[in-house]
Amino acid sequence: MALAVCVLLSAAAGGWQGWRKATVDPPAPPAVCPLIRAEVFDLLVPAHDALQAGEQNGPGMRSNYCLVKSASTKEGARASLWVSLGRYGRHEGRGPRCLDRDGLLMVINNTNHPVALGDRAVYFIAGDRETGRRINLSTCFGTYGVLVEYEATAVADTAIVESAATVAQEVLSWL
């Protein structure tokens, strides 16, 4: 009887570990380009090329991205906007909550600033105003993660932060 109990406990523990460590891919998130109004693209990336869309999937994660870049100008002004909408499942013992993902909301070697978006959001800014400032903004909302990378020349830090936050809010408003 004791042997049978031990076998059952071992099987249960092994089954629990197997289930906990299982990878479960989530359903695909919606395409991200249609979630952002055309006026936002036109305002943030003037004289832009066509929108480019694609997928970036990994274990326990599916995501769609949207990329738009400004056309070349004589003055050298440029801008680009990359937005990714990811949806998380189970992977390596982590649940599907975006907040449970390591490193998504914390970047090393940069100062992370909090933003009041979703469940949690942070951004950092890099680059130079003259050659191009870049903001990386990451936000979580349930099982979704939104990443915004916006780069522009001759833009003040407050404007670039507000721009990236606006794009993230556009996407979050559909979820």
Side-chain angles (χ1 to χ4, degrees):
M1 181 64 148
L3 179 60
V5 171
C6 287
V7 168
L8 285 174
L9 287 175
S10 275
W16 168 251
Q17 283 297 332
W19 176 82
R20 194 176 72 80
K21 297 271 185 178
T23 294
V24 178
D25 291 326
V32 70
C33 290
L35 303 181
I36 303 167
R37 291 175 292 152
E39 303 87 53
V40 173
F41 288 120
D42 295 341
L43 180 65
L44 299 182
V45 188
H48 60 79
D49 293 334
L51 302 177
Q52 301 171 33
E55 291 182 14
Q56 292 180 314
N57 299 321
M61 183 197 88
R62 297 183 72 184
S63 70
N64 297 309
Y65 70 85
C66 184
L67 171 66
V68 62
K69 296 180 180 182
S70 60
S72 299
T73 65
K74 292 179 183 176
E75 299 81 32
R78 62 181 166 69
S80 67
L81 176 64
W82 179 84
V83 184
S84 174
L85 173 60
R87 189 155 189 200
Y88 298 96
R90 294 192 168 281
H91 182 62
E92 295 184 346
R94 292 175 291 186
R97 288 182 351 132
C98 175
L99 288 173
D100 296 336
R101 300 301 168 156
D102 297 331
L104 186 64
L105 294 172
M106 189 57 63
V107 179
I108 299 172
N109 296 331
N110 285 299
T111 302
N112 293 285
H113 305 279
V115 180
L117 284 173
D119 296 332
R120 183 164 178 239
V122 296
Y123 73 88
F124 72 88
I125 297 176
D128 178 85
R129 269 193 79 186
E130 301 308 315
T131 60
R133 294 291 269 169
R134 185 185 81 244
I135 182 169
N136 289 69
L137 185 142
S138 304
T139 185
C140 285
F141 183 67
T143 61
Y144 291 96
V146 178
L147 306 174
V148 176
E149 184 176 296
Y150 178 52
E151 184 173 0
T153 54
V155 176
D157 286 355
T158 54
I160 204 166
V161 170
E162 289 173 5
S163 299
T166 297
V167 171
Q169 186 60 50
E170 287 270 318
V171 175
L172 290 172
S173 70
W174 288 96
L175 303 178

